[in-house]
Amino acid sequence: VSFTPAGLGEGTHTVTVDVSDVAGNAATQASWTFKVDTVAPVLSKTSPIDWANVIKPNVVITAVEAMSGLNETTTNFTLTGSVTGNIVGSGGWTGLVYTFVPTNNLSENETYTATMDVDDNAGNSATHLSFVFEVDVTKPTIDNLVPTSGAWVTTATPTVSAQIHDE
C-alpha cells in the first residue's frame, strides 16, 4: 500500500494502516509517526557588529530553528585574519547561540572574516553566513579646545571647537 499526501504541514504526522483480507482476517493495525521539517535554520551575526572594542572578542552567531533543532555536529565555523590567516580558538553552542573565543589576542591592523555553515536535524542546510569585522581598542583623544578652559570671551556667539583624533 502506498499513498502520497499533498502538502503536509511542518510538524509531526501519524499514519495508521488497517487491512483485512478477502476472508475477513484483520491484520494487526500498524501506526507510526514521522516529522516534516522543510525550513532551513537561519543564521545571523550577533557580535561583533563591524567593530570589536576588545582585543580578544567573542564572536557570537544566533540561529533560528523552530522544528527539528540544530545538528551541532555539522557546525563548520572559521575565523580568518587578512594577515594572520586561520584564527585558533574554541567555540560551541548554548541553545541557539554559538560563541567562539579566540585563543590569542587579535590585531588592530587586520580585517577578520567569520563564516559558519550548519544543518538542522532534518538535514536542511542554513544559508552560508559570512561577515567581517575589525578590532579597535585605541581610545580617541580630544585636544585643542577653543575657547580654552576658563577663558573669557567677548561675544555671546563664540566659535567652540575641539580636535578629535582616532587612530
Side-chain angles (χ1 to χ4, degrees):
V1 175
S2 176
F3 174 72
T4 303
L8 290 178
E10 300 283 306
T12 302
H13 300 275
T14 302
V15 178
T16 303
V17 177
D18 287 308
V19 66
S20 298
D21 63 19
V22 291
N25 299 309
T28 302
Q29 183 183 68
S31 182
W32 67 98
T33 62
F34 64 94
K35 301 169 189 166
V36 174
D37 178 358
T38 63
V39 179
V42 176
L43 301 173
S44 60
K45 66 180 179 178
T46 303
S47 70
I49 304 293
D50 302 326
W51 293 94
N53 61 5
V54 294
I55 200 72
K56 195 171 166 180
N58 289 352
V59 179
V60 182
I61 295 171
T62 303
V64 175
E65 171 50 39
M67 290 303 300
S68 63
L70 290 176
N71 182 348
E72 295 177 12
T73 64
T74 66
T75 301
N76 182 11
F77 174 86
T78 61
L79 181 61
T80 307
S82 59
V83 175
T84 55
N86 190 45
I87 305 299
V88 178
S90 61
W93 290 98
T94 301
L96 295 175
V97 177
Y98 183 86
T99 303
F100 176 85
V101 180
T103 301
N104 298 312
N105 292 342
L106 302 184
S107 170
E108 287 191 273
N109 301 314
E110 195 164 355
T111 299
Y112 295 92
T113 303
T115 66
M116 177 175 273
D117 294 292
V118 68
D119 299 339
D120 65 17
N121 287 316
N124 300 305
S125 297
T127 300
H128 177 76
L129 176 68
S130 179
F131 64 95
V132 298
F133 66 91
E134 295 180 49
V135 175
D136 180 0
V137 296
T138 304
K139 296 177 183 176
T141 59
I142 304 168
D143 61 16
N144 294 328
L145 307 175
V146 176
T148 59
S149 180
W152 288 94
V153 295
T154 60
T155 178
T157 58
T159 299
V160 178
S161 66
Q163 273 191 333
I164 310 298
H165 306 277
D166 189 17
E167 299 170 22

